Amino acid sequence: LFQVVHAHKPHFMALHCQEFGGKNYEASMSHVDKFVKELLSSDAMKDYNRARVYLDENYKSQEHFTALGSFYFLHESLKNIYQFDFKAKKYKKVTGKEIYSDTLESTPMLEKEKFPQDYFPECKWSRKGFIRTRWCITDCAFDLVNIHLFHDASNLIAWETSPSVYSGIRHKALGYVLDRIIDQRFEKVSYFVFGDFNFRLDAKAVVETLCAKATMQTIRAADTNEVVKLIFRESDNDRKVMLQLEKKLFDYFNQDVFRDNNGTALLEFDRELSVFKDRLYELDISFPPSYPYSEDSSQGKQYMNTRCPAWCDRILMSHSAKELILKSENDEKIVIYDHIGPNVCMGDHKPVFLSFRIAAGAGKPIANVHKCCVVQ
């Protein structure tokens, strides 16, 4: 993370985290506090003299807990930054460093919602939801939405239909968020939505492509006759096993297909965003699937054999936000969409980042853009 900050030197930095504290919250939340303190006091961040940190740490609240963490850092050279107060319906100037945790429901500087339980009933206690903040920089207002959508509970169920039932659940939840952030309560502004969307490749189409010349063996449970495993073998070549599929097993014999050329051959199966093409824009993906990486610290590039690798972690934006991003007047690459720590173990997800520049006054209908006024 610090290497990316040093390389791109952002003046405004937003960091969105999901599943803060890991799976075992009660044991891990103490590490969260240490992480936050080290991040705020680190030498790499010394030039960021203002910060806002929002941590949903109240894991005892089954009704509200989302495990989301949103960090915002403002460089000392950046003047006149304002954050929106959703209760007072006005902007307030950002000064100093402030950390909010535990009960974010009482904080007027954000909106937080957890998705209703009936969205994903097979998960007894889901933490999925979103946090929204609104900012104004150089007369340009925009929303930043930290989002965590529902996962695939079973590879076998995901494989049965195209698109899968899980894809439909994510579609419903994302649609709910988009409707919420453009409803009539507040003025409409451009928005960026980024976090763990849990978007998956179309499992049926991927398996049929990867195992086009294979024969499938179905293994059922003796007592229920339920399908518990699928084995795909090559028709010849001593009937070598190509893929084994179980509820939480996706063991394909050649992981290179997900890494070669950043896995772009599989992007045609990344279809979940197509439903929202009229509402959301994404830059071209030029990094490998962001999930599920091995959590073995010595295996920074290795995928786990639990799920089909997919681009779960994304940075999406409204079409008006796309217009805010300053277009380069020469060949200099100003807009960069990439992943962090390609060779380093960072947990089962690789973080992704988007670096861009916004022109001063870009949020105005008629913007007088001068090179001397560019804010990064």
Side-chain angles (χ1 to χ4, degrees):
L1 173 66
F2 290 154
Q3 288 172 357
V4 172
V5 172
H6 180 73
H8 298 279
K9 298 179 172 57
H11 290 166
F12 179 91
M13 185 175 100
L15 173 66
H16 285 177
C17 304
Q18 300 80 42
E19 293 287 16
F20 231 68
K23 298 287 188 271
N24 188 355
Y25 298 101
E26 294 187 38
S28 304
M29 276 303 178
S30 59
H31 299 300
V32 170
D33 296 337
K34 182 184 177 187
F35 169 78
V36 173
K37 287 173 184 172
E38 288 194 6
L39 188 60
L40 289 172
S41 62
S42 65
D43 187 61
M45 306 299 290
K46 68 179 186 300
D47 294 332
Y48 295 85
N49 63 347
R50 289 150 293 170
R52 291 293 182 271
V53 178
Y54 303 104
L55 304 174
D56 190 1
E57 295 185 315
N58 190 17
Y59 54 82
K60 293 178 181 177
S61 172
Q62 188 167 340
E63 185 182 352
H64 298 293
F65 183 50
T66 63
L68 294 173
S70 297
F71 298 71
Y72 304 98
F73 300 93
L74 287 65
H75 195 271
E76 59 188 11
S77 64
L78 204 52
K79 310 300 180 190
N80 300 325
I81 305 300
Y82 299 88
Q83 188 181 359
F84 192 66
D85 182 320
F86 288 96
K87 191 172 182 179
K89 294 190 176 183
K90 63 181 182 181
Y91 288 93
K92 295 183 177 178
K93 191 168 184 176
V94 180
T95 59
K97 297 179 180 179
E98 297 177 2
I99 300 173
Y100 298 87
S101 62
D102 215 17
T103 51
L104 297 185
E105 283 69 37
S106 59
T107 304
M109 309 309 288
L110 59 79
E111 285 198 320
K112 188 194 88 163
E113 284 191 53
K114 178 179 165 178
F115 295 121
Q117 180 68 40
D118 60 7
Y119 272 42
F120 200 59
E122 64 184 271
C123 189
K124 290 180 182 176
W125 187 19
S126 168
R127 296 168 294 278
K128 309 301 193 286
F130 71 95
I131 288 178
R132 167 202 197 183
T133 55
R134 177 171 291 191
W135 304 83
C136 186
I137 301 177
T138 62
D139 294 328
C140 178
F142 52 85
D143 281 350
L144 299 179
V145 182
N146 184 351
I147 194 168
H148 193 184
L149 297 182
F150 300 98
H151 59 283
D152 277 18
S154 167
N155 292 324
L156 293 169
I157 292 175
W159 176 83
E160 285 174 357
T161 54
S162 174
S164 78
V165 61
Y166 305 119
S167 173
I169 294 169
R170 288 188 284 271
H171 176 193
K172 179 181 177 182
L174 180 54
Y176 174 83
V177 174
L178 297 182
D179 289 343
R180 187 73 174 146
I181 62 178
I182 63 163
D183 63 19
Q184 301 302 315
R185 294 169 302 139
F186 307 104
E187 178 188 2
K188 288 187 175 69
V189 299
S190 301
Y191 55 83
F192 297 86
V193 186
F194 52 111
D196 179 7
F197 292 83
N198 261 316
F199 287 161
R200 306 301 170 100
L201 304 185
D202 187 315
K204 195 165 190 65
V206 168
V207 170
E208 287 174 352
T209 300
L210 294 179
C211 305
K213 297 180 179 178
T215 56
M216 185 180 79
Q217 177 186 357
T218 303
I219 298 175
R220 298 177 181 272
D223 51 347
T224 63
N225 204 37
E226 180 186 2
V227 176
V228 293
K229 187 170 188 173
L230 299 174
I231 302 174
F232 296 83
R233 300 177 185 273
E234 290 189 11
S235 301
D236 46 24
N237 196 23
D238 297 328
R239 293 186 51 75
K240 177 183 174 183
V241 174
M242 299 180 69
L243 172 67
Q244 296 184 76
L245 203 64
E246 296 178 16
K247 180 179 180 179
K248 292 187 177 181
L249 177 72
F250 187 97
D251 189 359
Y252 188 64
F253 79 106
N254 178 22
Q255 277 203 3
D256 288 342
V257 71
F258 304 110
R259 287 189 288 256
D260 290 348
N261 194 28
N262 291 320
T264 49
L266 298 171
L267 273 171
E268 66 173 294
F269 305 113
D270 177 70
R271 299 167 177 168
E272 293 196 35
L273 191 56
S274 62
V275 178
F276 296 95
K277 64 179 183 296
D278 295 334
R279 306 178 72 179
L280 290 169
Y281 172 79
E282 181 180 28
L283 290 158
D284 290 339
I285 291 176
S286 58
F287 49 86
S290 65
Y291 171 86
Y293 279 91
S294 169
E295 293 178 298
D296 180 338
S297 60
S298 65
Q299 300 288 331
K301 287 185 171 183
Q302 188 76 14
Y303 287 108
M304 281 193 285
N305 294 327
T306 52
R307 308 287 185 194
C308 177
W311 288 271
C312 291
D313 306 273
R314 317 280 276 260
I315 300 176
L316 312 177
M317 65 195 80
S318 62
H319 288 281
S320 59
K322 170 191 170 187
E323 300 305 317
L324 289 177
I325 297 177
L326 185 68
K327 298 294 188 290
S328 176
E329 293 182 8
N330 51 38
D331 292 333
E332 181 187 359
K333 195 173 183 183
I334 291 177
V335 181
I336 300 171
Y337 186 32
D338 205 348
H339 64 324
I340 295 175
N343 304 313
V344 180
C345 175
M346 299 186 74
D348 55 350
H349 289 257
K350 284 280 192 243
V352 301
F353 75 94
L354 175 63
S355 173
F356 61 89
R357 304 172 76 182
I358 292 180
K364 302 283 189 181
I366 303 172
N368 295 312
V369 180
H370 302 285
K371 286 186 178 178
C372 62
C373 300
V374 169
V375 176
Q376 187 169 342

